[in-house]
Amino acid sequence: MSTPPDTSPNPDDRTEEIDLEALRARYARERDRRIRPDGLAQYRSAAGEFGYYAKDPYTPRTEREPKTDTVEVLVIGGGFGGLLTGARLRQAGVESIRMLDEAGDFGGTWYWNRYPGIHCDIESYSYMPLLEEVGYVPEWRYAPGEEIRRHAIAIAETFGLYRDTLFHTRVTALTWDEQTDEWVVETDRGDRMRARFVITSSGTLTQPKLPGIPGIETFRGHTFHTSRWDYGYTGGDQNGGLEGLADKRVAVVGTGATGVQVIPHVGRDARHLYVFQRTPSTVDVRDNRPTDPEWAASLRPGWQRERMRNFLEIIAGEEVENDLIRDGWTSTARLQRKMITGAVDTSVSPEERERIEELVDARKMNAIRARVDEVVEDPATAELLKPWYRYMCKRPCFSDHYLQTFNRPNVTLVDTADHGGITRMTEDAIVVGETEYPVDCVIFATGFDLGVSGVLSGTMPVRGRGGRELLQAWGMGPRTLHGFYSDGFPNLFHLGALQNANSVNFTHILSEQAEHIAAVIARGRKAGVRAIEPSTEAVDAWIRTVRETAHDTSAFQAECTPGYYNLEGAGLPAGVTYSPGPVAFHRLLADWRENHMHEVLGTEG
Ligand code: NDP
């Protein structure tokens, strides 16, 4: 086995001299002028007074009678995590499955996010799960959102998951009934159902957030969040054609991965577009293209698993023979491990490793900044669009249309970095410093609260054995075995990155989780077990393992410009996920399934 051809810049290429000290000083200056004392508190959730920002604009809510029946498995969340679990459970022979979601249909992220230009940044052949099972090959290398949403629906149809599903339904409480060994599931629709097993898969970037801009509530023009796109107002669809904006002055606030995809469309169609930027994104080449039919016809059974594994192994720093994907992610894998952890190259000293990484990073960022100069005609605008931080401080972006948009005469870039963002809003304008920008419409591309599942935020209180509240049991920090389950909370499974694995291709992580959970439940059913639950010792041991193997990324994060990756400068604690990386974690799980699964199957029925 050998490592893939790493197309990231060569650290020993001396043709480009880089003054690392000067670069470090520049990065520090750029970070310092963006750090805000209020950190995460600068944002407001789209809830309460701002709840209308989170309303479902796509599917009308229909009335129904409350449910009081019993199912075998209840899955909370109809995104890819829930769908994959439902599919794997069906394959394991489970008939009684109820899926449940706050949305009006399946799709999760891809249900809510339908803004013009939406595409997945990860190549479709690795990202869209269960392609072979559904019998589908994506039309594009990087799929548009609507194609992904339709695929989610196809998974639900293929595996008969619409059957007992409840949409527009939010779980308000989960209570373990020790008499019957069942969960009592209460919802905001008055349901009081029972389920033997409950699986939570409620996503990590789901709750839209708004900047706490003074006066935001006084704005009288039209306004919405990108994850609830108002096509009734803008016209058009995900491919663009926003003819409703032809006579409008539009503001887009935010230049993250969403802003980068939306802005070319709004720029094309609005009378005038003001882009309010606080920190520029890295914008690398996209190079999207339709799927080659010959290649599609040449695919042999098992191709998707192989491709997903290849992608994951490269990103996680494992040795592979070939890079099947060859794109902006696989060529920067070494840089990504600054934030998304994985195997560490131990053939060099830590100091040498850091030297190489910093040089590779500087060369990559220089190339990203050089591209801005190549594309953007106005030098002052180009200067403002250059990102000054290390590659993984923020989510890398890819576009062949974004930078070009700033060459349009109807597009103005307004940099807000020196003001910590937009200064205030009035009835009809956005104000930065003392300058007013009158606008008809404000579109917030300002992202999502990080990792707020109902379990962790407390909006879905969970009471386990003896009425013990889960958040109380987790008072000293999350307590799980492998991220999946907790002592005292039998037959309850969680999907997500917490104390589990992480990768940019998160559907792969979810896919492994779904297979694991389905395997455990299938074995428990076969053995007639009433309660699947890890012991306190097993949970303690896993917490110790996660802590002891944690890579400390705090020094890297502290030097980063603020954003959700480093909790707005506060820094993510070490050991949120399993640091040795997803490939090591999946090996560990496979071994556990083989040799230790019986340990959670304590109580025979
Ligand atoms: P982000 O949180 O990444 O970006 C929010 C943007 O809003 C930032 O540019 C931020 O600036 C800006 N902002 C926040 N407050 C203010 C303010 N007061 N004034 C001006 N600007 C402000 O959200 P996104 O929705 O862009 O992306 C979230 C995540 O969703 C991505 O990181 C990615 O994981 C995922 N995603 C994935 C896509 C894919 O293709 N797979 C596509 C889109 C999103 P600053 O940076 O200074 O904080």
Side-chain angles (χ1 to χ4, degrees), residues 261-273:
Q261 293 185 333
V262 157
I263 283 163
H265 286 282
V266 181
R268 194 172 302 134
D269 294 333
R271 181 177 119 208
H272 200 95
L273 166 64

Side-chain angles (χ1 to χ4, degrees), residues 34 36 42-43 109-110 113 115 118-122 127 205 209-213 225-226 253-261 276-281 286 329 394-395 416 420-423 445-448 504 561-565 568:
R34 290 183 174 83
R36 290 175 49 138
Q42 68 181 281
Y43 290 104
T109 294
W110 305 100
N113 287 276
Y115 55 80
I118 183 167
H119 279 71
C120 183
D121 275 348
I122 309 293
Y127 178 83
L205 289 169
K209 72 182 187 327
L210 300 166
I213 301 169
H225 188 274
T226 45
V253 181
T255 54
T258 301
V260 164
Q261 293 185 333
F276 291 88
Q277 169 188 274
R278 193 164 62 177
T279 313
S281 283
R286 172 70 307 172
W329 290 108
K394 285 197 173 276
R395 172 66 149 69
T416 69
I422 288 165
T423 308
T446 45
F448 304 87
V504 287
T561 191
Y564 84 85
Y565 267 28
E568 302 299 333

